[in-house]
Amino acid sequence: MDLGNGTEDQFFGNATEETPGDPIPSWDKNTLLGLQISLSAFLAVVTLATVLSNAFVITTIFLTRKLHTPANFLIGSLAVTDLLVSILVMPISIVYTVSKTWSLGQIFCDVWLSSDITFCTASILHLCVIALDRYWAITDALEYSKRRTTRRAAAMIAVVWVISISISMPPLFWRQAKAHEELTECVVNTDQISYTLYSTFGAFYVPTVLLVILYGRIYVAARSRIFKTPSARGKRFTTAQLIQTSAGSSLCSLNSSVAQEAGLQAGGGSPLFANSVKVKLADSVLERKRICAARERKATKTLGVILGAFIVCWLPFFVGTLVMAICKDCWFDPVLFDVFTWLGYLNSLINPVIYTAFNDEFKQAFQKLVKFKRCY
């Protein structure tokens, strides 16, 4: 998301010029060319990996009937958004980052900037709706399971795109086309402090606070469920199920008291048989609790990875953008800002890895997909 990427030739543009009296020799053209090629190759690999990982997630969900659930549709929509970032934003950013000058004209600049802001914001907001979906599912499982439909997921996705577009559109209204001037930079004007505050808070700071609150409450619920007996109604979803899987019932949702009653009834009233059933059921319940506790611990760790990766990837960029807008006398090294920008793009590569690597159903579907088998 290029809200304020400077274009001063600090790294590549003036690397071959020598300043009189400068004790540090400038790089020669061969060294500079080697650095440009290496940087381009590295960024191209990151971009290609982002394309392939998100394409695999989309394909897996599409081909695996078992994954056709509202929760997975949200993850699939996130993958589509990150795929758009990798196809429409990152390749152009490679050229701009390496060359340090814009040569594609005003119209293409406007389209690219709008796409950059829209898709990156949508990617961030998708994380919020996924967290919100899981929060509702764990705090109001019985009622929300009835409302957790494909139509509701589509409505949440639509809200994400409306907000994202509303954040990306304002700069187009005050940007003036420079028909008689050669455009050498393509950035959003950070002199509009009101827009910078609106865009950074709408795209990052508010979603971050929301994510911290939601995942904090999910974490607390997960910790309490580790030592809590499952509900007598036997239909509540566990945190592990909500985070790692999205369909069907889990081993953790079985109710021990109901099972015990069934066992006693099967025993026909025989004390010896009933006691034997009780012992077996007790062992089964303990084993179930042990497995459930392990799943809950793994699920809470997954939450930490999700939130930590998001903050690490996007916090430097948005802090830098806000500082540049508020402090006019502050100077940011353009190279450092490029690093922050690509660190944010890297989140589009990390998202499909996090949301699928910790999901057993996705792992199985990936394996079948690699073997060219349609999953049912």
Side-chain angles (χ1 to χ4, degrees):
M1 189 187 295
D2 252 321
L3 292 179
N5 186 11
T7 57
E8 294 89 346
D9 297 333
Q10 298 290 330
F11 188 61
F12 292 128
N14 64 351
T16 58
E17 297 179 4
E18 292 190 6
T19 304
D22 189 352
I24 301 177
S26 299
W27 294 335
D28 57 31
K29 292 183 178 180
N30 292 332
T31 302
L32 175 61
L33 181 61
L35 287 173
Q36 290 177 321
I37 294 175
S38 300
L39 179 60
S40 299
F42 174 74
L43 297 181
V45 170
V46 172
T47 301
L48 180 61
T50 306
V51 172
L52 294 178
S53 59
N54 285 287
F56 264 104
V57 171
I58 297 169
T59 305
T60 300
I61 294 176
F62 178 77
L63 294 180
T64 308
R65 188 172 299 173
K66 189 178 181 181
L67 297 179
H68 290 181
T69 64
N72 283 330
F73 287 152
L74 292 177
I75 295 178
S77 181
L78 171 65
V80 171
T81 305
D82 288 333
L83 182 64
L84 291 174
V85 173
S86 63
I87 293 177
L88 301 179
V89 176
M90 294 171 69
I92 299 175
S93 186
I94 293 176
V95 178
Y96 192 29
T97 300
V98 173
S99 65
K100 305 303 297 181
T101 185
W102 184 264
S103 59
L104 300 177
Q106 178 74 67
I107 296 178
F108 207 86
C109 172
D110 291 340
V111 172
W112 179 66
L113 280 179
S114 298
S115 301
D116 188 0
I117 299 173
T118 300
F119 298 149
C120 290
T121 302
S123 177
I124 294 172
L125 295 182
H126 267 88
L127 301 181
C128 290
V129 298
I130 291 173
L132 193 60
D133 172 74
R134 290 170 176 174
Y135 172 73
W136 284 333
I138 193 174
T139 57
D140 190 19
L142 289 175
E143 292 299 323
Y144 186 62
S145 62
K146 302 174 184 177
R147 304 193 302 267
R148 203 183 198 187
T149 62
T150 302
R151 180 175 299 181
R152 186 183 183 92
M156 296 171 72
I157 294 170
V159 171
V160 165
W161 284 104
V162 169
I163 296 175
S164 301
I165 294 174
S166 68
I167 290 176
S168 67
M169 290 299 291
L172 298 179
F173 294 106
W174 64 65
R175 177 180 287 274
Q176 297 179 354
K178 301 177 182 179
H180 304 290
E181 299 180 18
E182 183 180 356
L183 189 67
T184 58
E185 64 176 6
C186 181
V187 297
V188 175
N189 184 8
T190 53
D191 293 336
Q192 298 283 346
I193 182 65
S194 59
Y195 171 73
T196 302
L197 293 174
Y198 164 70
S199 61
T200 54
F201 275 84
F204 177 75
Y205 292 107
V206 172
T208 299
V209 172
L210 180 61
L211 282 172
V212 171
I213 293 174
L214 291 176
Y215 279 148
R217 293 188 176 184
I218 293 175
Y219 176 82
V220 171
R223 296 295 301 171
S224 65
R225 282 173 182 266
I226 292 177
F227 305 103
K228 187 176 180 180
T229 303
S231 170
R233 302 177 72 173
K235 290 186 178 180
R236 290 195 177 276
F237 299 101
T238 64
T239 308
Q241 180 184 348
L242 295 172
I243 295 172
Q244 298 173 24
T245 63
S246 302
S249 61
S250 69
L251 184 64
C252 303
S253 65
L254 297 177
N255 181 265
S256 59
S257 61
V258 175
Q260 289 177 359
E261 292 177 3
L264 291 175
Q265 292 175 0
S270 172
L272 293 177
F273 188 83
N275 290 334
S276 175
V277 171
K278 284 183 179 180
V279 172
K280 291 181 179 179
L281 286 175
D283 293 340
S284 177
V285 169
L286 289 175
E287 180 65 15
R288 253 198 322 268
K289 286 185 176 181
R290 185 188 66 79
I291 295 175
C292 291
R295 290 182 177 180
E296 300 291 359
R297 281 191 289 268
K298 182 179 178 181
T300 53
K301 290 179 181 179
T302 304
L303 292 179
V305 174
I306 292 171
L307 188 58
F310 166 72
I311 292 177
V312 168
C313 286
W314 280 116
L315 183 62
F317 173 83
F318 281 99
V319 169
T321 300
L322 200 57
V323 169
M324 290 175 61
I326 296 176
C327 181
K328 299 300 181 183
D329 295 329
C330 299
W331 179 81
F332 240 87
D333 192 327
V335 177
L336 183 61
F337 204 87
D338 284 338
V339 173
F340 291 167
T341 300
W342 276 91
L343 190 59
Y345 292 155
L346 187 64
N347 192 236
S348 293
L349 171 60
I350 295 175
N351 283 336
V353 175
I354 294 177
Y355 280 96
T356 57
F358 297 94
N359 189 315
D360 293 334
E361 288 184 354
F362 267 100
K363 288 180 181 178
Q364 295 172 6
F366 271 129
Q367 294 173 357
K368 292 182 180 180
L369 184 63
V370 171
K371 296 177 181 179
F372 301 101
K373 293 182 179 179
R374 190 177 181 87
C375 310
Y376 293 97

